[in-house]
Amino acid sequence: MERVDCVVIGAGVIGLAIAREMALQGRETILLERENAFGTVSSARNSEVIHAGIYYPKDSLKAKLCVAGNHLLYEYCRTHQVATRPYGKLIVANDETQIHDLQAILFKAQNNEVPGIKMISGEEANILEPNLQCVAAILSTTTGIVDSHGYMLSLLGGFEDAGGMIAYQSPLLKAIPIGVNAEGGFELEIGGVDGMSLQTKLLINCAGMSAPAVARKIEGLNTENVPKAYFAKGNYFSLSGKSPFTHLIYPIPEPGGLGVHFTLDMGGQAKFGPDVEWLDIQAEEEVDYTVDPRRGEGFYEAVRHYWPQLKDGALQPDYSGIRAKIVPPNAPAGDFCFNGPHDHGLQGLYNLYGFESPGLTASLAIAMHLEGQIKSSL
C-alpha cells in the first residue's frame, strides 16, 4: 500500500493553500477532491472580497489571520501575476442612531491593528461616492477584490511544482487510525471510479461546510469533538446598468453576516449580497442553490437605505453560496477552529471547522498557522 507524508481533503481555496504549504515544506502530499475540479463549491460562490480584518473580536483567529492574510494575499498576487482590484470599502451609518455602531466597528478594527482605516464624515463620503446616502462612514483602503479562480489556479500550480498530486472525484470513505492514538498514521479508503487505499502520517480535513461530515468518517474520533454543521445561505442579486459606486459599500453588520452590501467584480460589474438565509437542513446534499426572486424585495429595502435611487426592476437573481458555520442562528459568530491532536488525541489529525469568511483572504496565513501547529506537535 502506498504511503505518503500528508493527505489534505478538499480542494477549495483553503485546502489548496494548505496542500501547497505542506508540499513546500518537503512533505509528499496528496490532495483529495470529491468533485471533478478544484474550487467548485464554496470557493466558487463568494464575493471574492479581500477583507481587511475589521469586524472580528480582538485576538480571535479570524482577526489575526485576516490581517496577516490580507498583506500576504496582496503580495502573493503581485508576485504571481494574479489580478486584484484594490477598490477600497466604505462601511456606512445611514442615520445618527448608527453612529455608535460605526464607532464600535472602528474600535474593533483599531484593536486588530488593521492598517489604512479611518472614520470620515458623510460629506467626505459623498465626495468619494456622490450617489451614497450616509451620515458617516469608515473608509478601509486595504479592502479589495481578487480573481479567486486565478488565485486558486496559481496555488494548484505551486502545489504541483513542489511535487504534490491532486486526485479528483476521490471522496474519503473511511479513515482508520494505525496504532495507539494513530501514532502510525492513518489508512484511508478512498472512493471514485477506481477507488484506492493509501496510508498517511498527516491527515488534514479542509472540507469546508462538509468538514463535520468528513470527520465522522474517521474511526476512533470521539464524536464530541465534531461540531454540528449549520447552513446559512447567502443570495446575490446582480445590478443591471452602470455601477453607481467605485468603492465597495457595506451597511452595519447583521446577525450571521455583514448585511446586504455592494461589491464589484474584476470587470466592474456590480452586485448586491449576500443576505443571510438559514436553511433547515442536516447535510450539504440538501442544499438548493437556486436564488428565490422574492428575496429581492428585502434587497431593495436594504439597499435603498444607502442608495435611495435604486430603481424597481434593476436587480436580477444571480447566484448563492453557503457559509460553513458551526454555530446556530442568533449565536455569537464563531471563530476558525483548528481541531488538532491536543483536542482529540489522534496524532497527525487536523480537522478545520467553521472556515467561512474571511477564509479566502486569510488562506495563506491559515496554511502558515497550521504548519506552525504541526511543527509544535512533533
Side-chain angles (χ1 to χ4, degrees):
M1 184 181 299
E2 182 178 1
R3 184 175 178 87
V4 296
D5 300 318
C6 179
V7 169
V8 178
I9 302 169
V13 66
I14 293 174
L16 286 163
I18 287 174
R20 171 181 171 271
E21 181 67 24
M22 296 300 109
L24 288 174
Q25 294 295 326
R27 300 185 182 96
E28 185 181 5
T29 303
I30 292 179
L31 177 57
L32 300 180
E33 171 54 50
R34 73 176 186 206
E35 306 294 335
N36 61 6
F38 65 87
T40 60
V41 189
S42 296
S43 295
R45 295 175 170 274
N46 56 43
S47 302
E48 297 190 304
V49 172
I50 304 174
H51 290 285
I54 294 169
Y55 304 96
Y56 317 111
K58 179 177 171 59
D59 296 328
S60 65
L61 286 170
K62 283 185 176 180
K64 293 177 180 178
L65 298 179
C66 185
V67 172
N70 176 286
H71 173 75
L72 290 170
L73 181 55
Y74 274 121
E75 181 62 18
Y76 178 94
C77 292
R78 184 185 68 80
T79 57
H80 290 78
Q81 293 75 54
V82 176
T84 61
R85 295 285 186 273
Y87 289 118
K89 162 176 159 179
L90 291 168
I91 307 170
V92 300
N94 299 128
D95 54 51
E96 297 294 336
T97 65
Q98 293 187 328
I99 294 291
H100 178 74
D101 292 331
L102 202 64
Q103 290 171 333
I105 292 170
L106 181 65
F107 181 72
K108 272 188 178 180
Q110 291 170 336
N111 275 341
N112 293 342
E113 300 182 1
V114 175
I117 190 162
K118 65 178 180 179
M119 183 88 81
I120 62 175
S121 67
E123 291 78 12
E124 290 172 309
N126 280 137
I127 292 173
L128 296 174
E129 296 290 359
N131 293 315
L132 181 64
Q133 176 177 291
C134 68
V135 297
I138 291 172
L139 173 62
S140 168
T141 60
T142 62
T143 302
I145 298 290
V146 62
D147 173 4
S148 60
H149 182 79
Y151 173 50
M152 289 189 287
L153 187 62
S154 177
L155 290 174
L156 176 59
F159 169 60
E160 292 178 330
D161 287 347
M165 185 188 81
I166 187 167
Y168 294 113
Q169 296 179 301
S170 299
L172 178 73
L173 301 180
K174 185 190 299 184
I176 304 169
I178 302 170
V180 178
N181 296 329
E183 61 187 15
F186 296 86
E187 182 176 323
L188 309 183
E189 183 180 334
I190 300 163
V193 176
D194 300 318
M196 61 177 167
S197 297
L198 60 87
Q199 292 183 353
T200 181
K201 186 68 175 176
L202 284 173
L203 179 59
I204 303 172
N205 172 10
C206 299
M209 61 178 159
S210 290
V214 168
R216 291 189 177 90
K217 298 177 180 179
I218 302 169
E219 295 187 1
L221 179 64
N222 191 328
T223 55
E224 292 181 358
N225 281 289
V226 182
K228 175 178 169 56
Y230 296 89
F231 301 91
K233 184 178 180 180
N235 300 279
Y236 293 84
F237 281 72
S238 60
L239 175 70
S240 60
K242 183 180 178 182
S243 169
F245 305 117
T246 58
H247 293 72
L248 311 186
I249 309 296
Y250 281 59
I252 300 296
E254 62 184 48
L258 298 179
V260 175
H261 47 269
F262 168 89
T263 59
L264 295 157
D265 65 16
M266 294 299 300
Q269 173 63 44
K271 62 178 180 286
F272 293 92
D275 61 356
V276 181
E277 178 187 358
W278 290 94
L279 304 182
D280 185 18
I281 61 175
Q282 300 301 314
E284 181 190 347
E285 292 74 21
E286 301 174 63
V287 171
D288 180 359
Y289 286 104
T290 305
V291 178
D292 185 348
R294 292 172 296 182
R295 296 193 71 83
E297 297 173 11
F299 273 68
Y300 283 102
E301 180 183 357
V303 171
R304 282 172 176 153
H305 284 299
Y306 56 85
W307 184 34
Q309 295 87 2
L310 175 61
K311 295 179 180 179
D312 288 340
L315 301 181
Q316 290 81 41
D318 198 339
Y319 66 98
S320 70
I322 304 293
R323 301 170 177 90
K325 290 191 176 289
I326 53 173
V327 295
N330 302 316
D335 201 2
F336 292 151
C337 176
F338 293 84
N339 195 260
H342 64 286
D343 299 302
H344 50 63
L346 295 179
Q347 297 303 308
L349 173 63
Y350 295 85
N351 289 306
L352 276 62
Y353 302 125
F355 279 74
E356 52 174 333
S357 180
L360 169 60
T361 304
S363 52
L364 293 171
I366 288 167
M368 294 172 65
H369 180 81
L370 179 61
E371 172 61 23
Q373 286 196 333
I374 292 170
K375 284 183 175 177
S376 66
S377 69
L378 296 178

